[in-house]
Amino acid sequence: TKDLTEHPWAGADTALTLTARDEAGNEGTSPPFELRLPERPFGKPVARALIEQRRVLALDADAQARVLNALDALTIAPEKFNIESNVYLGLRSIYWQLARAKSDDQLRDVVTRMWDMAVNLEDGNMSDAEQALRAAQEALRQALERGATDEELKKLTDDLRAALDKFMQALAEQMRKNPEQLARPLDPNSRQL
């Protein structure tokens, strides 16, 4: 599987058309199928606002001034919206990086930082544990494909087990800190563990 939820088009309504071509050059096309691209749901308001502005900026580079205004508005009264100082400083850092961005590469860097900050706001330490788990899964998968030795497979399996334990601990800690997440409806595209 490939996780595309980070792409700016995630959550967009699209029409999917499949095209197949054989060796003789014959081509067949399916009728269009309407679907919504999978997206990662964000429950925390600041993270959700950051992702919304990220999408606006990623899809239209000329929207830089509007996104600057929105980022500025997010940081007007941090004490009234219970924004922690590290989040405030991160938002201001992104604001100034965007204000100074003059090239497409610099704008892409801002878009990436906005995603990273939103994920960090939403998950906290869990995103690190999730990345470690995915890396351990990928290492084990590659070892199996290349026919690794039993001792290497055992070590990679132990690493995967340890990464899964850390992920489950981070998930339990997140649920302990945010019990309201249990009441939030699940994303229909997500899998349950």
Side-chain angles (χ1 to χ4, degrees), residues 19-176:
T19 303
R21 186 175 302 123
D22 65 11
E23 291 283 329
N26 299 320
E27 191 173 287
T29 303
S30 72
F33 178 75
E34 301 286 326
L35 77 140
R36 179 174 289 234
L37 294 175
E39 69 180 323
R40 177 182 177 159
F42 286 87
K44 296 186 178 175
V46 175
R48 201 170 39 237
L50 199 55
I51 287 300
E52 181 181 325
Q53 294 308 311
R54 173 190 174 267
R55 180 178 294 159
V56 168
L57 182 63
L59 297 178
D60 182 13
D62 294 332
Q64 184 174 357
R66 282 185 299 162
V67 174
L68 281 170
N69 286 338
L71 287 173
D72 204 26
L74 281 174
T75 58
I76 285 177
E79 68 281 353
K80 291 192 181 201
F81 299 107
N82 295 324
I83 296 177
E84 298 172 9
S85 58
N86 61 339
V87 175
Y88 175 81
L89 291 173
L91 288 172
R92 293 311 293 174
S93 173
I94 290 172
Y95 173 88
W96 287 110
Q97 183 182 5
L98 179 58
R100 291 182 176 97
K102 302 290 183 223
S103 69
D104 287 344
D105 287 336
Q106 291 172 331
L107 288 174
R108 279 190 278 275
D109 288 343
V110 172
V111 167
T112 300
R113 281 196 61 205
M114 291 171 87
W115 173 264
D116 291 342
M117 183 165 187
V119 168
N120 196 356
L121 284 171
E122 189 73 17
D123 294 344
N125 292 336
M126 197 172 109
S127 59
D128 294 337
E130 186 175 6
Q131 286 178 347
L133 178 62
R134 287 188 182 173
Q137 285 176 323
E138 182 62 20
L140 181 60
R141 185 187 64 74
Q142 288 177 358
L144 287 169
E145 284 178 356
R146 72 172 188 274
T149 63
D150 287 344
E151 59 226 22
E152 184 182 358
L153 290 176
K154 181 181 179 344
K155 181 194 175 304
L156 291 171
T157 303
D158 291 342
D159 291 347
L160 179 61
R161 188 173 290 122
L164 183 59
D165 288 344
K166 287 181 183 174
F167 176 74
M168 295 303 287
Q169 288 171 356
L171 186 61
E173 181 68 20
Q174 182 185 23
M175 288 300 172
R176 187 183 65 75

